[in-house]
Amino acid sequence: MSDTYRLGAHELRSRLIIGSGKYASFEQNRVCADESGAEMVTVALRRTKLDAPKGEGLLDFLPSDRFKILPNTAGCYTVEDALTTARMGRELLGTDLVKLEVIGDERTLFPDTPATLEAARILVDEGFTVLPYIGDDPVACQRLAALGCAAVMPLAAPIGSGLGIRNPANLRIILETVEVPVIVDAGVGTASDAAIAMELGATAVLMNTGIALAKDPVRMARAMGKAVEAGRLAYEAGRMPRRLYAAASSPLDGLATF
């Protein structure tokens, strides 16, 4: 795709960001990343062995000259845990990027909104490029943007559910009321979900389980990449108005009569 967008100082062309969990192997993760066209891969710092022997760790399959690594704070339930994990990621990976997650409920994995706001404020002040995972709450997204987050990442549906976009109306409000990139995160199950997110006007889509747990992850990765591109093109083109009744495809004026 020819257009680009920015997350802080980082310029990206691909509007698909993928994860690195639940794959059958690191090799499969890399193939899926390539097939999807993704330039950025998110890595859960608390669930990844960053000190694995050379050639045996996840990051050996996701080299920095090919992918931007987006460390995330998955598994953190308190502000302090999220801050510690984010700082560790900056130290170990040499990046200012962080996908901020502060979970509020273990069963649904919905975010703790007040804790996310507090952690975001601190990390922004410390110079991080903060991309917060948050509910599809327009007010929370507005406040995160006002704090200086480089983007907001509202969920489409619960993490790993594959339910697709449950509340498009809220996503439309978020897209209309924040001036930072909006990355739809969590709940995308198949290519049509990704296309819908992009048709709504999302800047990008982040997904993991929808690819990793597909029957054929490599083909699904390819499908997701094409869906994101198609959705973006459709958004830029502008859809036709919806009509209640039929309208002839060919004009009736000037038709010959017999």
Side-chain angles (χ1 to χ4, degrees):
M1 300 180 69
S2 59
D3 60 331
T4 62
Y5 64 104
R6 301 188 71 85
L7 299 175
H10 305 271
E11 185 175 47
L12 296 163
R13 186 180 303 274
S14 173
R15 293 177 181 271
L16 175 58
I17 303 169
I18 74 165
S20 54
K22 302 181 180 178
Y23 287 92
S25 66
F26 296 152
E27 292 90 340
Q28 185 187 70
N29 196 170
R30 170 59 191 270
V31 173
C32 288
D34 285 334
E35 289 293 325
S36 72
E39 294 174 281
M40 178 178 280
V41 179
T42 186
V43 173
L45 292 168
R46 294 168 67 95
R47 299 168 181 163
T48 304
K49 288 187 66 176
L50 298 178
D51 59 349
K54 186 172 178 59
E56 299 179 15
L58 172 63
L59 298 184
D60 294 310
F61 294 85
L62 301 171
S64 59
D65 61 347
R66 168 67 178 85
F67 301 101
K68 290 184 184 293
I69 301 301
L70 173 61
N72 69 60
T73 63
C76 293
Y77 286 82
T78 68
V79 171
E80 192 54 45
D81 279 350
L83 295 178
T84 299
T85 304
R87 292 162 183 158
M88 178 180 69
R90 180 163 63 179
E91 181 70 22
L92 293 176
L93 300 176
T95 181
D96 64 325
L97 288 162
V98 62
K99 181 192 173 191
L100 175 63
E101 298 183 31
V102 187
I103 301 301
D105 178 65
E106 188 173 2
R107 182 176 63 176
T108 63
L109 300 181
F110 284 151
D112 182 328
T113 298
T116 300
L117 287 162
E118 176 63 13
R121 180 187 63 78
I122 295 169
L123 291 173
V124 168
D125 286 346
E126 292 183 4
F128 282 87
T129 298
V130 181
L131 314 177
Y133 159 72
I134 194 68
D136 56 355
D137 178 347
V139 174
C141 288
Q142 291 166 31
R143 290 181 178 174
L144 287 164
L147 285 173
C149 292
V152 292
M153 305 181 78
L155 56 81
I159 291 173
S161 68
L163 289 172
I165 296 172
R166 297 291 86 197
N167 197 340
N170 273 25
L171 287 179
R172 287 193 181 100
I173 295 171
I174 292 166
L175 288 160
E176 290 178 4
T177 55
V178 303
E179 296 183 358
V180 299
V182 176
I183 302 172
V184 172
D185 181 18
V188 171
T190 191
S192 57
D193 299 333
I196 290 169
M198 297 305 296
E199 287 173 2
L200 288 172
T203 305
V205 178
L206 190 151
M207 66 185 71
N208 182 71
T209 309
I211 295 175
L213 294 191
K215 291 182 179 179
D216 187 333
V218 175
R219 286 191 175 187
M220 185 59 80
R222 195 179 308 142
M224 291 295 194
K226 293 179 183 296
V228 166
E229 183 173 353
R232 177 67 181 178
L233 289 171
Y235 169 73
E236 291 178 331
R239 66 160 293 137
M240 62 166 285
R242 289 180 170 87
R243 302 176 185 272
L244 182 61
Y245 298 104
S249 298
S250 300
L252 299 178
D253 294 343
L255 289 179
T257 57
F258 298 96

